[in-house]
Each structure stands twice: as structure tokens, then as C-alpha cells.
Amino acid sequence: EIVMTQSPATLSVSPGGRATLFCRASQSISRNLAWYQQRPGQPPRLLIYWASRRAAGVPDRFSGSGSGTAFTLTISNLQSEDSAVYFCQQYNNWPLFGGGTKVEIK
Amino acid sequence: EVQLVQSGAERKKPGESLRISCKASGYTFTKYWIGWVRQKPEKGLEWLAIMYPGDSETRYNPSFRGQVTIAADTSLTTAYLHWSDLEASDTAMYYCVRPTGIAGEGTYYFDSWGQGTLITVS
């Protein structure tokens, strides 16, 4: 069974800074990876699919990369509204989510 | 614009039955899969079941097969999730979702989410 591991658990970044979030799969998932943003009290929102394609309406401050077992979500020029929990999800073989990374704005 | 509007929060007792709903709009209901994802603080996000309303084909997460039932009414463009015998462990937030990809083969992500339905069983 695939295991998805996200790191770090929490990330604190200054406004205007850059956040780098990591997601690792226990076995290769090709590029079948999505990223979601969940703000407090809100449902998750799709940000990235196929590892690097931005969903409709997602600012280009959000970018995804990686393939195989290692993936990265980078948020540039951090804004206050980016304070959220970010989840990765593999869909190479039925959906499985990572445990999330909480991004805090200093 | 795709919209998934879910029914309101529920408080139930163990052993009771429950059905929650998800009204879909903004797209052709019978041409896309629809499903449910659970969120619990200690377990994170887990998909429970998906259905293709066009032909009623279903897929269940093996961890939840037999515990929940997914259904849809195409005339109402509404999906449902049903429990016949709730347990305290069913306490969670449940999201209606629209899978995108090759859903029938397990290769899909979720491009739209409902606002969530909080279920409390105690």
C-alpha cells in the first residue's frame, strides 16, 4: 500500500516570502499527484493536478514540481490568505491523501 | 460554475440511520462521477465511495464497503450517502466531491468540493 508523507508538519513564513512544501510517496506514482489548500472552516480547494498543472483560477504564485516519489509545492510572494493547511493526494492507484502541512504567516 | 451544495449538520445516536445529500449544478450530472470524502482530525482525508450517475456504476474504498451506501437521483441531480447503523466512529466532516480523471480505474483527483456536512454520533 502506498504511503504519502508530507513535510514539514508546520511552516512559518513571512509575508512576501517563499514556502516550500514536500510530499513523498512510498512508491512511484508517476506524476499522478494533486495539491489542495484548506483554509480554516473551508473545504479543500484543488490547486495543482498532474504534479504541476494549476487548476482554474489558481494564482501563478503556486507551482508544483516532481515525479516518481518526490514532489514539491512552492508558494511564492506569500499573502495572508495563503495561511492554510495544504494536502497532497496521489491518484496513481485510488486516491490517498498525505497528512498535510500547515502554513502560517508570521 | 460547478456547485455542490450539501445538506446540513446532523446529530444522531449510535445505531440510527442517516442519509445526507449533495445537490449538484453547473454541469451535466450524468456525465461525471460524484463521490464522498471524509475528514477526521486523527485520520485526515479519506475517500469513501464514488458513483457514475449515468449508469449507476459505483466504486467503494475497501475500508468503507458495507458501512456506507452511495446513491444518486438523476432527476434531482442529487447524490446521497447513507448509513443504516451509525457508530460513534462515523463522527466526522463529510464532503461531496467531483472526481476528475479515469475515475472508474482509480486514477482521479477532486476538482470540486461541497461545503461539508458535519455528522456527530453520540
Side-chain angles (χ1 to χ4, degrees):
Chain A
E1 180 180 297
I2 299 173
V3 176
M4 303 299 294
T5 304
Q6 290 190 242
S7 61
T10 304
L11 192 56
S12 186
V13 185
S14 300
R18 171 178 292 191
T20 303
L21 288 64
F22 301 96
C23 177
R24 186 176 74 250
S26 59
Q27 62 190 72
S28 178
I29 58 170
S30 187
R31 293 178 62 80
N32 296 320
L33 187 98
W35 289 94
Y36 302 86
Q37 175 194 63
Q38 186 174 32
R39 294 171 174 147
Q42 297 291 315
R45 166 199 178 199
L46 177 67
L47 295 176
I48 301 285
Y49 61 99
W50 297 121
S52 61
R53 297 188 186 178
R54 274 187 297 276
V58 175
D60 59 7
R61 302 185 291 104
F62 293 86
S63 62
S65 64
S67 66
T69 61
F71 301 86
T72 302
L73 175 69
T74 302
I75 314 171
S76 304
N77 187 23
L78 264 161
Q79 309 291 306
S80 58
E81 62 263 29
D82 299 332
S83 180
V85 179
Y86 293 82
F87 296 96
C88 63
Q89 177 229 321
Q90 70 83 21
Y91 52 96
N92 191 63
N93 182 20
W94 301 99
L96 185 67
F97 293 87
T101 292
K102 183 176 183 178
V103 173
E104 299 175 339
I105 310 300
K106 289 180 182 176
Chain B
E1 178 196 4
V2 174
Q3 284 197 311
L4 301 173
V5 179
Q6 299 180 226
S7 50
E10 301 272 2
R11 181 174 291 275
K12 306 292 282 187
K13 297 185 186 305
E16 291 185 332
S17 63
L18 173 65
R19 187 181 77 169
I20 61 175
S21 66
C22 169
K23 169 72 173 177
S25 62
Y27 69 98
T28 302
F29 185 66
T30 53
K31 292 187 181 297
Y32 289 82
W33 290 76
I34 193 161
W36 295 91
V37 167
R38 183 178 83 171
Q39 186 170 33
K40 299 180 71 166
E42 67 278 17
K43 299 278 280 184
L45 293 158
E46 302 170 284
W47 77 279
L48 282 72
I50 60 172
M51 177 179 230
Y52 190 73
D55 62 7
S56 299
E57 190 171 350
T58 59
R59 300 284 189 275
Y60 285 89
N61 182 329
S63 297
F64 296 96
R65 184 180 292 276
Q67 298 180 31
V68 296
T69 301
I70 189 170
D73 185 327
T74 57
S75 67
L76 298 177
T77 67
T78 297
Y80 304 95
L81 190 65
H82 178 259
W83 292 260
S84 59
D85 184 7
L86 284 162
E87 302 176 2
S89 59
D90 295 317
T91 296
M93 181 70 80
Y94 292 83
Y95 292 104
C96 178
V97 291
R98 192 178 79 162
T100 294
I102 310 174
E105 296 180 6
T107 309
Y108 59 90
Y109 53 92
F110 305 104
D111 69 358
S112 299
W113 295 66
Q115 84 277 18
T117 297
L118 180 63
I119 306 300
T120 304
V121 184
S122 66

